[in-house]
Amino acid sequence: MNYLVAVLDNRIKAEEAYSALEEASLPTDNFDILGKGFKSADEYGLVDPADQAWNQIRLMAVWLVPFGFAAGFMFNIITGLDTFAFTGRLGNQIIGGLLGAIGGSMGAYFIGGGMGILGSGDALSYRNRLDDGKFLVVVRGSEAVVRQATPILRKFRPENIQGYTGR
């Protein structure tokens, strides 16, 4: 599926662009307006990168935290480190396991997409523009449909127009 996203300054331009796409005989189920009074980003299915990142972090933590604990515990058994003498042998092994679990949780965060929480990608950019009161006209369909819609939307001088090839 191919997508074309145009960012327009106001509701009037967005409605005019929508009408122009209708007049060009494009199927109306192939394009939508996102913004206040129309579909929201969530209704349209525009994913929130922070939600996606947290899901990935949780998925990785399920495996990495227990593995980190076991690795830290085993490392202490193998090396015989006596870092905290007052805790005894078993206490040192458990502390090693806990430090390994902390390392596993850090791995889950950084490798699982923790930096995505801070915001990156086009989805966040489009969400921010919607929050600023702008409107998106999204055309989806075959490459021919997107090619036909591109010059029509360019006539409305969008702030940004971007094409995507999806799965």
Side-chain angles (χ1 to χ4, degrees):
M1 182 74 63
N2 295 301
Y3 294 88
L4 180 66
V5 181
V7 179
L8 298 167
D9 295 334
N10 56 49
R11 181 184 186 118
I12 294 169
K13 276 188 178 180
E15 288 175 346
E16 287 173 355
Y18 189 91
S19 297
L21 291 169
E22 281 180 326
E23 290 171 12
S25 300
L26 288 171
T28 55
D29 59 334
N30 281 23
F31 48 94
D32 288 299
I33 298 177
L34 279 67
K36 189 174 180 183
F38 295 99
K39 284 187 177 180
S40 71
D42 292 328
E43 289 172 338
Y44 188 75
L46 196 61
V47 295
D48 186 0
D51 288 343
Q52 217 172 14
W54 278 117
N55 289 338
Q56 185 67 22
I57 289 168
R58 278 193 220 66
L59 181 66
M60 292 192 76
V62 166
W63 297 100
L64 289 177
V65 171
F67 180 77
F69 182 86
F73 192 88
M74 291 304 297
F75 179 79
N76 192 275
I77 289 174
I78 292 168
T79 61
L81 290 174
D82 193 22
T83 308
F84 303 102
F86 65 91
T87 63
R89 184 174 174 198
L90 181 62
N92 274 303
Q93 292 167 354
I94 291 173
I95 290 172
L98 292 174
L99 292 173
I102 290 170
S105 64
M106 288 172 57
Y109 180 80
F110 289 111
I111 303 302
M115 293 302 125
I117 293 169
L118 300 177
S120 63
D122 292 337
L124 184 63
S125 169
Y126 290 137
R127 282 179 170 276
N128 289 341
R129 287 180 174 162
L130 288 171
D131 290 342
D132 290 343
K134 310 243 177 184
F135 291 83
L136 305 179
V137 176
V138 181
V139 179
R140 69 185 172 287
S142 67
E143 189 175 328
V145 169
V146 170
R147 252 189 277 122
Q148 185 182 358
T150 301
I152 296 168
L153 291 176
R154 284 194 193 278
K155 291 178 188 173
F156 296 95
R157 297 181 186 243
E159 180 180 301
N160 182 29
I161 188 166
Q162 180 73 43
Y164 299 94
T165 302
R167 317 169 217 200

